[in-house]
Amino acid sequence: MSDAAQPTAAEVRAAAEAVKTALDRHLAAVERRSGEDDPAVYEAFNQLAAAAEVYDELLYDRYDEVTPFEIPGTEDSLPPYAGPEEPNAISVLIRRDYAVAEPQRLLAQAERVEAAEYGDGPGADQDAAGTVHGALGILFGEFEPDEIASRHKEFGLEEADSTLWVTAADEPAEPGEWLEAPFEGVDPQRVVCRFDVSAVFDDEDGDDGDDDTPRGEDPDELDDLDLDEDEDLEPLDAER
């Protein structure tokens, strides 16, 4: 960056003062909060994040220094809630990501579901149970998403990021109204609450993450596992 484009020391100082002011406002909003979802706290948070981001950028441009804290992107944060105070309806939007960590375990569970449901009868789809995408269709068709989430290791899956949004509506949607594009058209100002789960929020342990796979087997040896005798797999309920 050229010297002409660099911010002045006065601009950096002004940005620092703006962070201090926003910090005081945020603390005051927290102290006066009326509940867990107080819009004044959200607004003060967003103002603090925006002020801190400006200061961080100016500090780096002028002095090639950074702040010791992460600055959340204000474009990704939710605006203050502007929906109805007493919603007549809500929509719950959920996204959960998984990695297929153990395909053999996934396939074995799908085969067990097929065997419990159909045995060797004509309803059994051996081809579907023998492919990863087919096995996923069988398991997600058999179990509720919450049960998949609670038993994901049993199904050979590894949790990744997840998010849950609760949005307010004036009236329930008409049947079939949003099925073609279920996650489009969400108004951020009508999000009542949001819950995110991500490894991004975990504390840094200083290791390379190898401890996140606490199984005794070497992943390279999964092909040699006899899943029919794997004691870690809980028996499926044949009456489901």
Side-chain angles (χ1 to χ4, degrees):
M1 178 179 292
S2 65
D3 292 340
Q6 286 184 350
T8 65
E11 289 174 327
V12 178
R13 173 63 62 180
E17 293 299 326
V19 172
K20 297 175 186 178
T21 300
L23 188 62
D24 289 338
R25 289 175 179 170
H26 181 260
L27 177 58
V30 171
E31 291 173 338
R32 296 193 304 266
R33 71 189 309 164
S34 58
E36 291 186 1
D37 300 317
D38 190 335
V41 175
Y42 279 112
E43 183 176 3
F45 172 87
N46 290 335
Q47 292 175 349
L48 175 58
E53 184 174 26
V54 171
Y55 171 63
D56 189 75
E57 290 178 354
L58 293 179
L59 184 71
Y60 181 79
D61 290 343
R62 175 68 185 184
Y63 299 110
D64 199 24
E65 292 288 344
V66 296
T67 56
F69 43 83
E70 294 183 5
I71 307 300
T74 55
E75 67 276 5
D76 295 330
S77 59
L78 293 174
Y81 177 73
E85 292 188 6
E86 298 183 3
N88 293 320
I90 63 170
S91 293
V92 180
L93 292 82
I94 302 175
R95 172 173 173 169
R96 297 187 179 112
D97 283 5
Y98 300 94
V100 181
E102 300 181 49
Q104 284 190 310
R105 187 181 295 269
L106 176 73
L107 296 172
Q109 289 286 41
E111 290 172 358
R112 292 184 180 189
V113 169
E114 287 287 86
E117 191 74 21
Y118 302 107
D120 296 328
D125 190 344
Q126 298 296 334
D127 292 337
T131 65
V132 170
H133 71 274
L136 289 169
I138 291 171
L139 292 176
F140 278 88
E142 175 70 12
F143 300 101
E144 294 290 336
D146 287 344
E147 186 168 2
I148 295 286
S150 65
R151 302 173 62 183
H152 63 277
K153 290 184 179 180
E154 178 181 341
F155 299 129
L157 303 175
E158 181 178 306
E159 285 183 319
D161 288 359
S162 66
T163 188
L164 182 151
W165 293 30
V166 179
T167 64
D170 296 318
E171 299 294 339
E174 294 295 327
E177 179 179 344
W178 47 259
L179 290 179
E180 290 187 3
F183 300 108
E184 291 184 1
V186 178
D187 184 352
Q189 290 189 307
R190 285 186 169 241
V191 176
V192 178
C193 54
R194 171 179 174 173
F195 304 94
D196 297 328
V197 177
S198 174
V200 171
F201 307 132
D202 294 342
D203 293 334
E204 295 290 338
D205 294 329
D207 55 31
D208 58 6
D210 290 341
D211 293 336
D212 292 336
T213 54
R215 287 180 291 274
E217 301 88 4
D218 186 328
D220 294 333
E221 297 174 356
L222 286 175
D223 291 340
D224 298 329
L225 285 176
D226 184 358
L227 289 172
D228 290 336
E229 297 178 2
D230 191 339
E231 296 180 357
D232 290 337
L233 293 178
E234 297 179 6
L236 298 174
D237 186 351
E239 300 299 324
R240 289 185 60 84

